[in-house]
């Protein structure tokens, strides 16, 4: 082999190693909540960016479904770049997303005709690689579909949020079936903190980290997403030890 050919081979190997290192760093990147009580429970100190995460309401009613939507919007708001939001029903309220930090100008909406088309849009958006996050409102998510989405998120280096929206009260728990998602979150509504004057205080949520790959399940009482997409440790628990309110649940597959 000539010296020129040898240098070409070495340069090619260096490029391949550099690409691998870049992908490894990207895959390990996380999005912290900025709440130590939560971040300390997550591997790497936050939500893995190049990964699939599932979010659902604590019940089958519209109120807790809306809370789950705002939780997902707050996460997406803290990423960089445009956010692709896939849905099958045109019932998303953009001003509510803005209150959770996700400005209308950052959101690209895709209305799919059915669940199958929605999952295809979800996957293609993740593989694009140029988006901050992709959120999709899905009623059903099989293990096979979740694996495809997880691989697509890894390939595109994009945060994926499957927002589980049950259509009927009679439907089973959204997390009853196994999933390849890295984390699974359930959001329940709690009464807001009383104000010293007439009015309604900041919304309160009870978050359940139902599953966390390489981590433990837990639950947290938090204040809802603010105008920057950030949640906060509940003021109700400010004078209590974290161990008194962090419960554990059996992790689902």
């Amino acid at each position: 082999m000539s010296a020129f050919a040898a240098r070409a081979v070495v340069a090619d190997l260096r490029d391949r190693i550099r690409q691998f290192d870049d992908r490894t760093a990207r895959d390990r990147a996380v999005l912290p909540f900025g709440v130590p009580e939560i971040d300390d429970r997550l591997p790497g100190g936050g939500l893995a960016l190049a990964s699939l995460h599932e979010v659902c309401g604590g019940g089958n009613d519209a109120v807790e479904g809306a809370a789950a939507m705002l939780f997902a919007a707050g996460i997406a708001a803290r990423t960089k770049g445009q956010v692709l939001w896939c849905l099958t029903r045109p019932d998303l309220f953009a001003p509510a997303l803005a209150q959770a930090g996700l400005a209308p100008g950052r959101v690209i909406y895709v209305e799919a005709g059915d669940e199958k088309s929605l999952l295809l849009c979800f996957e293609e958006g993740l593989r694009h690689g140029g988006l901050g996050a992709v959120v999709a409102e899905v009623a059903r998510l099989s293990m096979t579909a979740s694996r495809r989405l997880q691989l697509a998120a890894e390939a595109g280096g994009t945060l994926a949020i499957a927002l589980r929206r049950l259509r009927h009260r009679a439907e089973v728990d959204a997390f009853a079936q196994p999933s390849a998602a890295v984390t699974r979150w359930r959001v329940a509504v709690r009464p807001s903190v009383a104000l010293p004057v007439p009015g309604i205080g900041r919304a309160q949520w009870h978050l359940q980290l139902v599953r966390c790959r390489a981590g433990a399940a837990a639950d947290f009482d938090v204040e809802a997403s603010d105008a920057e997409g950030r949640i906060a440790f509940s003021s109700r628990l400010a004078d209590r030890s974290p161990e008194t309110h962090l419960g554990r649940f059996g992790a689902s597959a």
Side-chain angles (χ1 to χ4, degrees):
M1 179 183 294
S2 66
F4 177 80
R7 286 196 295 271
V9 171
V10 171
D12 180 64
L13 288 174
R14 285 175 175 168
D15 286 341
R16 294 187 181 188
I17 292 172
R18 188 179 301 110
Q19 291 173 5
F20 177 78
D21 289 341
D22 289 344
R23 179 170 179 177
T24 299
R26 181 185 64 187
D27 291 346
R28 290 179 178 174
V30 299
L31 181 69
F33 281 99
V35 181
E37 292 80 6
I38 299 178
D39 291 336
D40 290 348
R41 295 296 186 105
L42 298 170
L47 288 178
L49 284 174
S51 299
L52 172 66
H53 306 274
E54 286 187 76
V55 177
C56 79
N60 292 346
D61 60 24
V63 173
E64 298 203 331
M69 179 268 292
L70 292 174
F71 177 62
I75 294 172
R78 292 183 292 108
T79 63
K80 296 181 180 179
Q82 298 292 106
V83 174
L84 182 67
W85 198 294
C86 307
L87 67 168
T88 57
R89 297 187 301 182
D91 59 354
L92 194 62
F93 191 52
L97 299 187
Q99 289 183 348
L102 190 54
R106 288 189 57 199
V107 186
I108 302 170
Y109 299 99
V110 173
E111 185 179 344
D114 52 44
E115 286 275 324
K116 183 177 180 180
S117 300
L118 182 139
L119 289 173
L120 288 174
C121 294
F122 195 2
E123 184 176 343
E124 286 302 312
L126 292 171
R127 292 190 182 279
H128 180 268
L131 298 166
V134 181
V135 182
E137 302 179 8
V138 296
R140 300 177 181 83
L141 190 64
S142 66
M143 173 59 87
T144 300
S146 67
R147 282 175 177 165
R148 290 182 62 89
L149 293 169
Q150 174 61 26
L151 291 173
E154 293 174 359
T158 306
L159 177 72
I161 302 177
L163 181 57
R164 306 297 302 276
R165 291 191 64 180
L166 301 181
R167 305 306 186 192
H168 307 287
R169 290 180 178 272
E171 289 183 318
V172 297
D173 183 352
F175 294 162
Q177 301 299 320
S179 170
V182 172
T183 64
R184 305 178 95 176
W185 300 83
R186 184 177 285 116
V187 187
V189 176
R190 292 286 183 265
S192 61
V193 175
L195 297 176
V197 295
I200 299 175
R202 185 172 174 180
Q204 304 280 307
W205 294 337
H206 182 71
L207 296 181
Q208 292 183 15
L209 178 56
V210 179
R211 178 183 188 267
C212 179
R213 185 185 300 174
D219 65 323
F220 317 90
D221 285 313
V222 300
E223 295 180 346
S225 301
D226 62 13
E228 296 181 348
R230 298 187 179 279
I231 58 176
F233 194 54
S234 177
S235 59
R236 290 172 173 167
L237 304 172
D239 298 326
R240 293 166 54 186
S241 167
E243 295 302 324
T244 64
H245 74 278
L246 294 181
R248 294 193 175 187
F249 297 82
S252 59

